[in-house]
Amino acid sequence: MSSDLSTDPHPALARRATSRRWLPRSFYARAALILILPVVVIQLAVAVMFLQRHYEDVTIQMTSNMVRELELVRSQPDLASPLGIRLDVGPVEDHIRFWDLSARAMREQLTEAMAGIVAVDTVSERKTVKVGFETGMRMTFSRNNVSAANPHQLLVFMVATALLMTAISFLFLRGQIRPIRRLARAAEAFGRGESRSYWPSGATEVRAAGTAFLAMRARIERHMEQRTLLLSGVSHDLRTPLTRMKLELSMMDAPEAADLAEDVAAMERIINTFLDFARDEANDSKETVDALALLRGAVDLAAPGRDVPVAGQGAQVVLSPDGMRRALANLVSNALRYGARVRASVVVSENWVTFVIEDDGPGIPAEQRDAAVRPFARLDAARSNTAGNVGLGLAIARDVARAHGGSLRLGESDMGGLKAEIVIPV
């Protein structure tokens, strides 16, 4: 039965991921958004309430009081000067800035309360209001009589306070996220096989995560140490009887001695493979080496005297040369075991260096490639073990690649066989 690989098996998760694409990716940015968004909303709400209260209610109330004085001056012009109103004759153009909310409220109140007003000008003279009437009369008075002085002070204070508190919050938030970043760097270093010093710090939850990480790292290190001691001990103990068997076979003249010697040699290769798998060569001291020269050395180690072409460009990379050389040699040995023609190359990009080993053998089906890199995995169950194949070559290469922060990729070569790539960052 065929299955559609393009169908998402988890549509709910896909929709959830799509709905969150607008969110920042880092925890620092998301926490900052959670912190800033409520502050901005509160500031906007307070600002709107203040604007409505100040620019409408206060302005309308002060304008209503001013209307009484203007009406009094219209009926008794002699009172203009004592009331601070300049009375003269002249045209007035209706001119109010579009963002001047108090002026708009003032004009509406004036035109509603007084008859005969044709224009209101708040722009031609600073902090002055000119009112023109149908009769040609013009009244000029101070803007402070109809609106509060310096109405922007509260807004400036609100914005300055918000910026100051946001800066303080950013500094505090940065201090809270620093322990999380330290934990992430320690976990990343441990994944590469490095033991970086780390101690839990920060909030209670971060300390709990750090303590759990230290406990997990200690358990993994104990497990790796026990695995290494077990495989090393078993392999070392088997060398003594194998040496005696090789000595006895060399002294035998029986026809079966040659076949037995091949079996003993295969067992010795298996033991050496166990030791390679148990030896943590990727944790050796890292050095700056030439990638192309390293690949040539691995080819010479795995196939001495064989004509295996090596191509690519040289590049200086920092890695563990012993571990990487052994991993590449295992890939070359596997390629020579199953293919007649093998080629090796190095591909250098801006951020990655890729070691490529290709052959013309039967290859590995796509559905079996994940299983092929597991330790002791042999895809052909009927294949004999006398050739020394225990299914650790790809597992060693994968562990070495991961220890360098990279990966092992298996694909199909244009030669018809398997293409194995070790990709590491530079």
Side-chain angles (χ1 to χ4, degrees):
M1 180 181 298
S2 63
S3 61
D4 186 5
L5 297 179
S6 63
T7 303
D8 192 347
H10 303 288
L13 296 178
R15 289 193 299 269
R16 185 181 303 175
T18 303
S19 63
R20 294 180 179 178
R21 287 179 181 175
W22 59 273
L23 289 174
R25 298 184 63 85
S26 67
F27 176 73
Y28 184 77
R30 293 190 178 190
L33 180 63
I34 295 174
L35 178 66
I36 293 175
L37 188 60
V39 175
V40 173
V41 172
I42 292 174
Q43 292 284 344
L44 290 177
V46 173
V48 170
M49 293 178 63
F50 166 76
L51 290 175
Q52 182 179 5
R53 179 71 177 174
H54 180 82
Y55 287 114
E56 293 184 7
D57 298 346
V58 175
T59 300
I60 291 175
Q61 182 178 2
M62 296 181 68
T63 304
S64 299
N65 296 332
M66 191 65 192
V67 167
R68 299 188 183 95
E69 297 181 6
L70 296 177
E71 291 288 0
L72 185 60
V73 170
R74 290 178 67 179
S75 60
Q76 301 180 28
D78 297 337
L79 297 177
S81 180
L83 294 177
I85 300 174
R86 188 172 73 244
L87 182 64
D88 55 4
V89 178
V92 177
E93 295 183 1
D94 194 76
H95 195 181
I96 293 178
R97 294 185 175 92
F98 69 92
W99 65 82
D100 195 344
L101 302 180
S102 62
R104 294 179 182 275
M106 175 195 63
R107 182 176 59 181
E108 293 179 359
Q109 183 66 20
L110 287 175
T111 54
E112 290 179 2
M114 296 184 66
I117 295 179
V118 295
V120 176
D121 179 15
T122 61
V123 179
S124 59
E125 293 186 23
R126 187 172 179 269
K127 294 184 178 181
T128 301
V129 179
K130 293 181 180 181
V131 179
F133 295 89
E134 296 176 348
T135 59
M137 183 176 58
R138 180 174 61 187
M139 293 185 181
T140 305
F141 53 88
S142 174
R143 176 72 180 268
N144 294 333
N145 294 335
V146 290
S147 62
N150 299 323
H152 62 282
Q153 290 183 350
L154 180 58
L155 294 178
V156 173
F157 177 76
M158 290 172 55
V159 173
T161 304
L163 293 177
L164 177 62
M165 297 306 299
T166 301
I168 295 175
S169 301
F170 267 111
L171 293 177
F172 177 76
L173 185 61
R174 185 176 181 181
Q176 297 301 311
I177 292 179
R178 188 180 295 111
I180 300 178
R181 291 179 173 173
R182 290 182 53 250
L183 175 60
R185 287 193 294 266
E188 183 180 3
F190 182 65
R192 295 194 302 265
E194 303 174 2
S195 182
R196 177 176 296 183
S197 61
Y198 169 78
W199 63 95
S201 61
T204 303
E205 294 79 2
V206 181
R207 288 178 178 267
T211 303
F213 165 73
L214 291 178
M216 178 195 67
R217 186 173 70 176
R219 289 194 300 269
I220 294 177
E221 288 176 345
R222 287 196 302 269
H223 171 74
M224 294 174 61
E225 183 180 0
Q226 292 172 359
R227 185 198 69 172
T228 302
L229 291 175
L230 175 63
L231 292 177
S232 300
V234 171
S235 302
H236 181 271
D237 292 341
L238 288 177
R239 284 183 178 274
T240 301
L242 283 176
T243 303
R244 289 200 302 266
M245 293 174 63
K246 290 173 63 177
L247 179 61
E248 293 174 358
L249 287 173
S250 64
M251 300 173 60
M252 292 177 58
D253 295 332
E256 295 83 2
D259 295 336
L260 291 176
E262 292 181 1
D263 292 340
V264 172
M267 293 177 63
E268 190 172 12
R269 287 194 295 271
I270 293 174
I271 292 175
N272 292 333
T273 305
F274 283 158
L275 290 176
D276 290 339
F277 184 67
R279 189 184 303 119
D280 198 6
E281 291 179 322
N283 285 337
D284 294 341
S285 59
K286 294 186 176 181
E287 304 174 6
T288 301
V289 298
D290 184 82
L292 189 58
L294 179 68
L295 181 58
R296 287 198 179 100
V299 171
D300 294 337
L301 177 65
R306 299 287 295 270
D307 185 16
V308 177
V310 179
Q313 60 185 103
Q316 298 297 316
V317 293
V318 179
L319 46 76
S320 301
D322 293 337
M324 185 60 66
R325 188 179 297 108
R326 174 58 58 185
L328 293 173
N330 286 335
L331 294 179
V332 174
S333 298
N334 285 343
L336 291 172
R337 183 179 296 114
Y338 300 116
R341 294 186 301 115
V342 176
R343 69 185 181 194
S345 60
V346 177
V347 179
V348 180
S349 62
E350 182 178 358
N351 300 318
W352 305 91
V353 170
T354 305
F355 297 95
V356 184
I357 309 297
E358 301 176 83
D359 61 69
D360 61 348
I364 299 177
E367 63 274 8
Q368 297 182 2
R369 290 169 187 167
D370 290 338
V373 297
R374 297 174 185 171
F376 307 104
R378 294 192 306 275
L379 302 182
D380 188 358
R383 191 175 308 220
S384 174
N385 251 1
T386 57
N389 175 32
V390 293
L392 287 176
L394 294 178
I396 294 174
R398 181 195 61 178
D399 290 347
V400 171
R402 287 181 175 179
H404 286 82
S407 62
L408 172 66
R409 300 187 305 199
L410 301 180
E412 184 177 352
S413 171
D414 55 9
M415 299 174 63
L418 179 67
K419 178 170 71 173
E421 297 176 315
I422 292 183
V423 184
I424 59 173
V426 294

